[in-house]
Amino acid sequence: EVQLVESGGGLVQPGGSLRLSCAASGFTFSSYAMHWVRQAPGKGLEYVSAISSNGGSTYYANSVKGRFTISRDNSKNTLYLQMGSLRAEDMAVYYCARKNMTTHDAFDIWGQGTMVTVSS
Amino acid sequence: DIQLTQSPSFLSASVGDRVTITCRASQGISSYLAWYQQKPGKAPKLLIYAASTLQSGVPSRFSGSGSGTEFTLTISSLQPEDFATYYCQQLNSYPPTFGQGTKVEIK
């Protein structure tokens, strides 16, 4: 079964750090660009970050640039999001998603999400 | 960044109704548009890509159309399991932005 499973969410104080993981299975992870998308409670979807299939290229939304780092370990079929200098506005469910060229670059597989709570 | 504006933001409809949601882009995006369905507490699910291509396994009552700056998602006969929030997403340029969502509720 093709799936993505996120982990690593939790409660963190403002200014703190957290690392999210996204474990992929059922497909050739190293062939796909991967993305992070977040959703604040009761709000819409917000794009966060992207990484190319080999990890050589990355992209960050302005809202997280300089604070978040996306990376991947293709030998472990795992995507990461290192989050630092966390703010109240970073509190959200974080989803990892697979971009698929056969679906015109749409995100065809999503994880179940992991909740990040930023509070003192 | 390309802005996507969905209308309406909320709609109330009955089972069997035909429902249409519009997504307008702030600049041309060719056919690089996708539609997703999200139910409470769940991840988004891809319904349509390339503006009008139905993702595998998605019921044929869903359809998409449009190109350039104006796009529509149509549900031909609303079913109980279709009550959800729908998002459009442009994939023409980074960042791949989302519309604000359209919540479809039971009348």
Side-chain angles (χ1 to χ4, degrees):
Chain A
E1 181 189 5
V2 174
Q3 66 174 353
L4 298 170
V5 178
E6 299 97 337
S7 61
L11 175 64
V12 61
Q13 292 186 339
S17 299
L18 207 58
R19 188 177 84 158
L20 306 183
S21 299
C22 169
S25 59
F27 65 99
T28 306
F29 179 69
S30 60
S31 295
Y32 293 87
M34 297 295 296
H35 300 254
W36 289 98
V37 176
R38 69 185 181 184
Q39 186 169 37
K43 301 297 184 181
L45 301 171
E46 180 188 10
Y47 186 78
V48 175
S49 184
I51 189 165
S52 60
S53 58
N54 65 4
S57 296
T58 58
Y59 177 89
Y60 299 94
N62 287 336
S63 57
V64 306
K65 197 175 297 181
R67 301 187 298 120
F68 290 11
T69 302
I70 190 171
S71 62
R72 65 191 297 161
D73 185 336
N74 286 343
S75 69
K76 296 182 178 178
N77 293 336
T78 303
L79 172 72
Y80 303 100
L81 185 68
Q82 179 69 47
M83 304 186 296
S85 301
L86 283 162
R87 307 165 180 169
E89 55 264 35
D90 295 318
M91 186 165 72
V93 174
Y94 284 73
Y95 297 100
C96 59
R98 182 180 86 169
K99 185 182 86 166
N100 194 338
M101 286 190 294
T102 66
T103 57
H104 221 222
D105 288 348
F107 298 176
D108 66 336
I109 305 295
W110 295 65
Q112 85 288 354
T114 188
M115 180 69 202
V116 172
T117 301
V118 182
S119 176
S120 54
Chain B
D1 296 2
I2 295 175
Q3 309 301 316
L4 296 179
T5 303
Q6 289 182 232
S7 59
S9 295
F10 172 88
L11 74 87
S12 181
S14 301
V15 172
D17 283 353
R18 180 181 181 88
V19 168
T20 298
I21 299 169
T22 298
C23 178
R24 289 187 173 87
S26 60
Q27 62 190 77
I29 58 171
S30 184
S31 61
Y32 281 90
L33 189 100
W35 289 96
Y36 301 87
Q37 177 193 65
Q38 186 180 35
K39 296 182 178 179
K42 300 294 186 182
K45 172 189 172 183
L46 178 64
L47 297 177
I48 287 170
Y49 62 91
S52 60
T53 304
L54 208 60
Q55 172 69 334
S56 176
V58 174
S60 59
R61 62 181 179 273
F62 291 92
S63 64
S65 65
S67 67
T69 61
E70 187 152 337
F71 303 85
T72 59
L73 171 70
T74 299
I75 309 172
S76 60
S77 178
L78 201 63
Q79 297 302 300
E81 59 268 30
D82 301 336
F83 292 94
T85 300
Y86 294 85
Y87 294 92
C88 57
Q89 180 196 29
Q90 66 82 19
L91 299 132
N92 183 71
S93 63
Y94 273 81
T97 43
F98 294 91
Q100 82 278 13
T102 295
K103 187 173 185 179
V104 178
E105 288 200 343
I106 301 172
K107 182 183 283 184

